[in-house]
């Protein structure tokens, strides 16, 4: 269906066109067109149209005078009147004889014009119609969504390179009679070399229009020196050939442009679509159908309006009869008004009270005799009186008969004792002869507001508690949970400080988290010892004791405890215990929340709210809320503790699984994991591997026994561990009497130096070895290899290289270092 609107060609008339006199200098006209962003100027004398001067004329002049310097161009056109260069006797239409939209568009196409001056019967200028003004009033219909850009675009686009001068662009526009030039760069297809058969693709990067030329002339810039890249509109608004006309129409309206560049999916230039071509896409049949539908809708709405007016007239007549009947039943109405529980108050135009029923007497505390004839301000809080008077004035000047007050803000009344109360009210006005009365029906909604505030408070309590539960379930970071908890609770309770206090074994304690209001002393991480707090008090809190002190100076507390609180600026406080259930590991979270305080509870600490500004009467819901919150804090503490224990156990298991049980250095599994991690490190660095073998270890075992052999392996492993950096390097037992050293980011030279240091370190142990063929002490042969990880190498190759070097070291007599 069409997007309907009450359409008339008259709506397309721009009734405030730019006009100039015949003697206006051309340069001044250009500046005016630039400032008001008009595409034309109408030349008028004695209310008669003499001619028209357009953006196309500016471009034509720019191209014709391109060989002049900018100063002479400016001087020439500053003296020459616009009457000498305007288009005389332009095509005009009378407003009362305007054709329909289809005919009008055909006229514009036939005469190849973009501007039509519109005049009245006396030939006086009324306004102008352009493609822009027509497009602004047309509501797009289904045909705009069904037609594609490729159907109406102009594929013959004039292009230029970014280095072309603006003067060259103006010349192109003038020669080809176009309103814009697309700035494009050539790109070869699929990186192929350009050939006559395969020309390069033009890629649009900007656009220069007639309006740009006009604005540059208005600024008196040198068009010969300016390049297209400096003045072009970029980035471009692009549409694809397959886009619908509705998309192009929407972009033009949204970005206030008159043309769009068309490019394919590869950004190759395909054409250009303008307001003219957009409207040319509307065939007469389609336009007639659209206009017919719109006119039908206008007639339909007109009928509805007439019916509504008739209904309104009847209602007015009925209201007049009703008002007459009300005057007759005034006496009976007085009795009804006095029986109403709501306040009913009438005032005259001077805002003086004329009616005050018994309901008003009960609500406001005044008798009718006290307020009759008094100004209404008597019943309104002082800070709202001016606003209320303005409200009555605005209501008086509207056609409304009645309305509900307080739709944007709450209404308040003022009782005789000066107290303020919330209310809901409606106001109506009534004319009795020459007198106008305003009547307010007002209801005291104090109890409702209190109930709403209580409900809102309950919802906020549930939100805070729910957020706490969610944090416990989703996070194991206890510090974060506790900090967020006190940060949310403090503003919710509107108090000055909220802390969580943890006990030490001697019943001293430390403030582990805190939230303070501005100006309140911070006590975070402060260790506090209350000399009055001992085992007896601890047992009370362990049983679930809650303590609410509204005023420390009048409460029955010990002097030492009062002095301690006063030291921290506390005037009132609320304390609830944080109890950990010893059976937590066997209970669910719900079961823990349901457990009542008892002997199985451990007193971990206290959740405390401090009020420092003065005494405070704590409410029951505040105590209950803080108690429930303490239960959630306890769950978080125990959950975090269990997680820490689990992490420690996992770390110990991982350590045990990664160590060789005899030598306490890394085992073969850990060796494989470390080597793979070092190999995958990015960016890749040189990676060195040393394979070490104790010389003639089997004879050593045979001679001294396996227990001595184990001790020998332990001493050698310890010596190797002293030679490396344990933070970045690894010593592992590779197998039997073989050890390995993995050295990340180590080149061959440094690896050889370390290998020699290891060999000397083992020799210095001077472990006797009578069956050795190279020394009377334990010695070691070492093979060294270095590779830089790449896609062409593997860790297995590095091991093989080091193993080969070790084999050579043994073959050459042992007790030596050999590199691959």
């Amino acid at each position: 269906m069409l997007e309907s609107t009450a359409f008339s060609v008259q709506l397309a008339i721009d009734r405030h066109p730019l006009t100039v006199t015949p003697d206006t200098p051309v340069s001044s006209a250009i500046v005016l067109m630039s400032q008001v962003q008009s595409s034309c100027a109408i030349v008028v004398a004695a209310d008669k149209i003499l001619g028209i001067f357009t953006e196309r004329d500016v471009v034509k002049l720019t191209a014709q005078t391109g060989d002049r310097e900018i100063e002479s161009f400016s001087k020439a056109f500053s003296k020459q009147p616009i009457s000498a260069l305007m288009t005389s006797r332009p095509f005009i239409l009378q407003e009362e004889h305007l054709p329909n939209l289809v005919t009008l568009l055909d006229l514009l196409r036939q005469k190849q014009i973009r501007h039509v001056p519109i005049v009245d019967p006396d030939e006086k200028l009324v306004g102008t119609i352009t493609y822009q003004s027509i497009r602004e009033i047309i509501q797009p219909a289904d045909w705009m969504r069904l037609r594609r850009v490729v159907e109406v675009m102009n594929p013959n686009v004039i292009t230029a390179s970014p280095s072309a001068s603006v003067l060259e662009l103006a010349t192109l526009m003038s020669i080809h009679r176009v309103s814009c030039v697309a700035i494009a760069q050539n790109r070869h297809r699929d990186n192929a070399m350009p050939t006559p058969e395969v020309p390069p693709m033009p890629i649009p990067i900007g656009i220069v229009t007639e309006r740009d030329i006009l604005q540059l002339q208005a600024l008196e810039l040198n068009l010969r020196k300016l390049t297209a890249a400096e003045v072009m509109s970029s980035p471009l608004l692009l549409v694809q050939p397959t886009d619908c006309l509705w998309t192009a129409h929407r972009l033009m309206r949204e970005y206030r442009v008159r043309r769009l560049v068309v490019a394919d999916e590869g950004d190759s230039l395909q054409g250009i679509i303008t307001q003219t071509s957009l409207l040319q896409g509307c065939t007469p049949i389609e336009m007639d159908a659209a206009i017919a539908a719109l006119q039908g809708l206008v007639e339909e709405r007109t009928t509805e309006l007439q019916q509504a007016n008739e209904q309104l007239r009847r209602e007015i007549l009925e209201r007049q009869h009703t008002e007459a009947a009300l005057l007759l039943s005034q006496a009976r109405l007085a009795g009804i008004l006095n029986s109403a529980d709501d306040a009913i108050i009438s005032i005259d135009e001077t805002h003086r009270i004329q009616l005050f029923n018994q309901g008003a007497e009960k609500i406001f505390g005044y008798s009718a005799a006290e307020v009759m004839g008094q100004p209404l301000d008597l019943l309104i809080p002082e800070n709202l009186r001016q606003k209320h008077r303005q409200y009555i004035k605005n209501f008086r000047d509207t056609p409304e008969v009645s309305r509900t007050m307080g739709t944007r803000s709450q209404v308040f009344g003022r009782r005789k004792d000066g107290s303020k109360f919330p209310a809901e009210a409606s106001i109506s006005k009534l004319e009795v002869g020459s007198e106008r009365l305003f009547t307010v029906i007002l209801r005291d909604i104090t109890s409702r507001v209190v109930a709403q505030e209580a409900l809102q408070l309950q919802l906020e309590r549930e939100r805070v508690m729910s957020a706490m539960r969610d944090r416990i379930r989703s996070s194991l970071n206890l510090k974060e949970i506790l900090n967020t908890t006190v940060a949310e609770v403090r503003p919710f309770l509107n108090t000055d400080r909220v802390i969580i206090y943890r006990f030490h074994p001697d019943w001293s304690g430390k403030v582990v988290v805190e939230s303070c209001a501005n100006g309140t002393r911070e006590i975070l991480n402060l260790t506090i010892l209350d000399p009055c707090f001992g085992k007896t008090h601890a047992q009370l809190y362990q049983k679930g004791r809650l303590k609410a002190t509204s005023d420390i100076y009048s409460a029955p507390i010990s002097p030492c405890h009062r002095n301690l609180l006063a030291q921290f600026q506390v005037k009132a406080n609320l304390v609830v215990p944080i109890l950990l259930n010893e059976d937590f590991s066997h209970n669910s979270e719900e079961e823990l929340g349901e457990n009542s305080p008892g002997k199985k509870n451990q007193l971990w600490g206290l959740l405390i709210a401090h009020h420092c500004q003065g005494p405070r009467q704590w409410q029951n819901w505040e105590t209950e809320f803080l108690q429930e919150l303490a239960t959630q804090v306890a769950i978080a503490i125990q959950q975090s503790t269990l997680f820490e224990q689990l992490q420690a156990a996992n770390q110990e298991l991982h350590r045990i699984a990664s160590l060789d049980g005899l030598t306490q250095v890394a085992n073969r599994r850990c060796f494989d994991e470390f080597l793979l991690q070092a190999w995958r490190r990015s960016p890749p660095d040189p990676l060195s591997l040393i394979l070490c073998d104790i010389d003639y270890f089997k004879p050593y075992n045979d001679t001294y026994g396996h227990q001595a052999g184990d001790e020998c392996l332990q001493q050698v492993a310890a010596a190797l561990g002293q030679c490396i950096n344990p933070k970045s390097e690894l010593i592992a037992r590779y197998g039997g009497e073989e050890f390995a050293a993995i050295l990340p980011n180590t080149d061959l030279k440094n690896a050889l130096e370390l290998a020699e240091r290891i060999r000397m370190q083992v020799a210095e142990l001077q472990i006797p070895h009578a069956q050795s063929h190279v020394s009377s002490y334990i010695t070691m042969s070492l093979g060294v290899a270095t590779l830089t990880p790449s896609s062409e190498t593997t860790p297995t190759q590095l091991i093989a290289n080091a193993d080969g070097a070790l084999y050579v070291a043994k073959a050459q007599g042992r007790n030596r270092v050999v590199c691959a």
Side-chain angles (χ1 to χ4, degrees):
M1 293 298 293
L2 294 172
E3 291 183 14
S4 60
T5 182
F7 176 77
S8 172
V9 177
Q10 278 77 6
L11 296 177
I13 300 175
D14 177 5
R15 298 184 182 273
H16 302 284
L18 174 63
T19 60
V20 295
T21 59
D23 57 353
T24 301
V26 173
S27 59
S28 299
I30 291 174
V31 171
L32 286 173
M33 291 169 67
S34 173
Q35 290 175 344
V36 301
Q37 295 188 348
S38 175
S39 60
C40 70
I42 309 298
V43 183
V44 178
D47 294 333
K48 300 295 183 180
I49 300 175
L50 301 182
I52 187 169
F53 186 74
T54 69
E55 290 177 338
R56 180 161 291 176
D57 294 326
V58 177
V59 174
K60 182 177 178 181
L61 292 176
T62 301
Q64 292 174 351
T65 59
D67 55 343
R68 302 182 184 178
E69 293 298 329
I70 185 66
E71 292 78 11
S72 59
F73 178 91
S74 176
K75 290 179 181 179
F77 288 110
S78 66
K79 297 178 181 178
Q80 193 165 12
I82 198 168
S83 58
L85 298 175
M86 69 183 182
T87 300
S88 303
R89 301 175 61 83
F91 176 75
I92 63 175
L93 289 173
Q94 286 193 4
E95 181 178 9
E96 62 181 11
H97 296 143
L98 278 177
N100 61 33
L101 178 62
V102 177
T103 304
L104 181 60
L105 288 173
D106 282 340
L107 282 173
L108 292 175
R109 295 182 188 123
Q110 292 171 10
K111 296 185 177 297
Q112 296 185 350
I113 57 176
R114 291 181 287 177
H115 310 82
V116 179
I118 308 300
V119 298
D120 62 13
D122 296 328
E123 298 293 327
K124 292 183 179 180
L125 180 66
V126 173
T128 58
I129 291 181
T130 64
Y131 281 111
Q132 169 72 18
S133 64
I134 293 174
R135 187 177 64 83
E136 288 294 332
I137 64 166
I138 291 181
Q139 293 292 338
D142 285 343
W143 56 265
M144 290 196 76
R145 293 188 174 89
L146 295 175
R147 299 291 297 274
R148 301 299 167 187
V149 170
V150 69
E151 299 177 48
V152 301
M153 74 179 186
N154 181 4
N156 301 317
V157 185
I158 304 302
T159 63
S161 69
S163 60
S165 70
V166 177
L167 181 58
E168 292 172 345
L169 302 182
T171 303
L172 286 173
M173 292 184 197
S174 179
I175 293 173
H176 295 282
R177 295 182 61 81
V178 294
S179 62
C180 66
V181 174
I183 310 304
Q185 291 179 332
N186 291 331
R187 186 175 71 192
H188 303 311
R189 302 174 185 271
D190 300 328
N191 298 322
M193 294 297 293
T195 64
E197 295 77 13
V198 185
M201 297 186 299
I203 306 300
I205 61 173
I207 190 170
V208 177
T209 67
E210 288 176 335
R211 177 159 293 177
D212 297 329
I213 302 295
L214 183 144
Q215 291 177 339
L216 294 173
Q217 288 288 28
L219 296 173
E220 299 186 358
L221 300 177
N222 191 333
L223 306 190
R224 182 188 302 278
K225 296 182 180 180
L226 285 175
T227 65
E230 295 175 295
V231 302
M232 66 183 183
S233 298
S234 178
L236 282 176
L237 287 174
L238 297 176
V239 292
Q240 293 187 358
T242 55
D243 288 338
C244 65
L245 295 184
W246 165 243
T247 299
H249 166 81
R250 181 174 53 81
L251 288 173
M252 287 182 184
R253 294 194 68 173
E254 181 177 353
Y255 292 96
R256 299 180 179 273
V257 297
R258 297 187 289 178
R259 56 192 60 78
L260 297 170
V261 174
V262 184
D264 59 17
E265 293 182 352
D267 292 337
S268 175
L269 180 64
Q270 299 296 310
I272 193 164
I273 183 170
T274 66
Q275 292 174 345
T276 303
S277 57
L278 186 65
L279 291 175
Q280 287 172 347
C282 312
T283 65
I285 295 177
E286 291 169 336
M287 291 299 297
D288 282 341
I291 293 173
L294 292 174
Q295 290 174 342
L297 184 60
V298 170
E299 293 174 358
E300 179 184 342
R301 295 295 171 83
T302 301
T303 302
E304 292 176 357
L305 182 60
Q306 291 173 345
Q307 293 173 349
N309 288 338
E310 180 61 24
Q311 177 66 24
L312 181 60
R313 188 185 67 81
R314 289 195 297 268
E315 290 178 357
I316 291 174
L317 290 174
E318 291 175 3
R319 184 176 296 276
Q320 290 173 347
H321 292 311
T322 302
E323 290 173 352
L326 287 174
L327 290 175
L328 295 175
S329 61
Q330 187 174 15
R332 287 179 294 172
L333 181 61
I336 297 173
L337 292 179
N338 285 330
S339 65
D341 291 332
D342 294 340
I344 302 176
I345 306 168
S346 290
I347 61 172
D348 59 19
E349 290 195 272
T350 64
H351 292 207
R352 295 194 174 271
I353 300 173
Q354 303 299 318
L355 173 66
F356 198 78
N357 73 335
Q358 291 181 2
E361 291 179 337
K362 295 176 183 177
I363 292 175
F364 287 94
Y366 290 101
S367 66
E370 290 178 295
V371 299
M372 293 297 288
Q374 296 295 319
L376 184 64
D377 287 351
L378 186 69
L379 309 178
I380 301 173
E382 185 175 356
N383 62 321
L384 299 177
R385 290 171 183 171
Q386 182 59 39
K387 183 177 179 181
H388 188 270
R389 283 193 291 269
Q390 185 62 40
Y391 183 89
I392 298 294
K393 179 180 180 299
N394 294 340
F395 176 62
R396 180 194 64 192
D397 297 335
T398 66
E400 295 178 87
V401 177
S402 63
R403 68 163 62 159
T404 299
M405 299 178 65
T407 54
R408 294 185 178 85
S409 59
Q410 199 170 7
V411 177
F412 288 93
R414 178 182 179 275
R415 294 189 176 92
K416 184 177 181 179
D417 61 7
S419 62
K420 187 172 73 169
F421 65 92
E424 64 179 14
S426 61
I427 183 172
S428 62
K429 58 187 174 185
L430 176 66
E431 292 188 5
V432 182
S434 60
E435 185 180 3
R436 179 178 295 176
L437 294 177
F438 300 91
T439 301
V440 174
I441 301 177
L442 179 141
R443 176 173 297 173
D444 185 352
I445 58 171
T446 301
S447 58
R448 184 197 306 174
V449 171
V450 171
Q452 289 175 345
E453 290 176 350
L455 177 60
Q456 185 65 31
L457 183 62
Q458 178 63 26
L459 292 175
E460 184 64 14
R461 287 173 56 188
E462 292 176 359
R463 184 198 66 80
V464 174
M465 199 61 62
S466 176
M468 180 67 177
R469 295 190 189 99
D470 290 343
R471 279 193 295 272
I472 293 172
R473 293 186 177 96
S474 61
S475 174
L476 293 171
N477 188 331
L478 181 61
K479 192 73 172 179
E480 178 184 334
I481 293 173
L482 298 184
N483 273 312
T484 306
T485 298
V486 297
E488 289 189 5
V489 169
R490 186 190 59 75
F492 178 64
L493 293 180
N494 192 25
T495 192
D496 301 305
R497 184 192 294 122
V498 174
I499 64 172
I500 292 179
Y501 177 81
R502 182 175 184 178
F503 283 115
H504 296 151
D506 62 352
W507 298 116
S508 64
K510 180 181 180 181
V511 179
V512 292
V513 292
E514 171 189 50
S515 175
C516 285
N518 292 334
T520 303
R521 175 186 171 186
E522 296 182 1
I523 59 175
L524 181 64
N525 296 324
L526 183 66
T527 299
I528 302 173
L529 176 61
D530 185 352
C532 301
F533 191 93
K535 188 173 181 180
T536 303
H537 290 83
Q539 290 175 348
L540 293 175
Y541 280 114
Q542 191 170 3
K543 294 178 180 179
R545 174 190 184 185
L546 309 175
K547 188 172 183 182
T549 303
S550 58
D551 186 350
I552 66 169
Y553 295 104
S554 60
I557 59 176
S558 60
C560 59
H561 185 55
R562 181 181 294 111
N563 293 337
L564 179 67
L565 294 176
Q567 179 184 347
F568 301 130
Q569 304 174 324
V570 179
K571 301 293 191 306
N573 69 339
L574 179 59
V575 185
V576 298
I578 300 174
L579 302 173
L580 305 187
N581 193 307
E582 296 178 0
D583 296 332
F584 178 80
S585 58
H586 305 293
N587 291 345
S588 65
E589 179 182 326
E590 291 76 12
E591 291 171 333
L592 177 63
E594 295 172 358
N595 286 339
S596 58
K599 294 182 179 180
K600 292 185 177 181
N601 290 334
Q602 171 194 349
L603 181 59
W604 183 89
L606 302 172
L607 176 58
I608 307 174
H610 285 161
H611 204 70
C612 303
Q613 299 177 19
R616 170 169 176 167
Q617 190 66 44
W618 301 99
Q619 304 298 315
N620 290 336
W621 70 262
E622 294 173 320
T623 304
E624 294 170 359
F625 172 73
L626 218 59
Q627 185 179 23
E628 186 177 356
L629 198 61
T631 301
Q632 298 303 319
V633 169
I635 294 173
I637 292 170
Q638 301 216 56
Q639 183 174 285
S640 176
T641 301
L642 290 178
F643 178 71
E644 290 174 357
Q645 293 172 353
L646 180 61
Q647 278 189 316
N650 287 337
Q651 290 174 358
E652 180 62 21
L653 287 174
H654 184 269
R655 187 189 70 82
I656 294 172
S658 301
L659 288 181
D660 176 65
L662 176 63
T663 62
Q664 294 300 299
V665 297
N667 58 18
R668 178 62 180 268
R669 173 190 171 191
C670 184
F671 167 85
D672 292 337
E673 292 176 354
F674 190 89
L675 180 60
L676 187 59
Q677 290 175 0
W679 190 266
R680 292 176 176 174
R681 185 171 301 169
S682 179
D685 294 315
L687 180 62
S688 295
L689 176 65
I690 304 174
L691 289 182
C692 318
D693 188 31
I694 300 175
D695 296 328
Y696 301 109
F697 188 71
K698 186 177 183 305
Y700 183 91
N701 264 342
D702 295 341
T703 303
Y704 299 101
H706 287 287
Q707 184 173 353
D710 291 346
E711 294 176 354
C712 175
L713 289 173
Q714 291 172 344
Q715 293 182 60
V716 169
L720 266 61
Q722 296 173 3
C723 297
I724 66 163
N725 181 1
K727 294 182 179 180
S728 59
E729 300 168 340
L730 180 75
I731 290 292
R733 186 178 181 187
Y734 193 70
E737 69 275 16
E738 285 187 308
F739 293 87
I742 302 176
L743 312 173
N745 195 21
T746 304
D747 56 21
L748 183 60
K749 178 178 178 296
N750 289 322
L752 286 172
E753 292 176 355
L754 178 61
E756 183 60 28
R757 189 158 64 250
I758 290 173
R759 189 187 69 80
M760 295 296 296
Q761 188 80 7
V762 171
E764 289 175 0
L765 294 175
Q766 293 190 349
I767 301 173
H769 189 357
Q771 300 301 318
S772 174
H773 299 299
V774 294
S775 172
S776 57
Y777 298 103
I778 285 291
T779 59
M780 181 169 278
S781 298
L782 302 96
V784 182
T786 300
L787 281 178
T788 298
S790 68
S791 59
E792 300 175 355
T793 57
T794 64
T796 304
Q797 184 178 344
L798 178 65
I799 296 173
N801 292 348
D803 191 54
L806 177 60
Y807 179 82
V808 173
K810 292 180 179 179
Q812 291 180 356
R814 310 197 183 210
N815 191 22
R816 67 190 64 233
V817 176
V818 175
C819 67

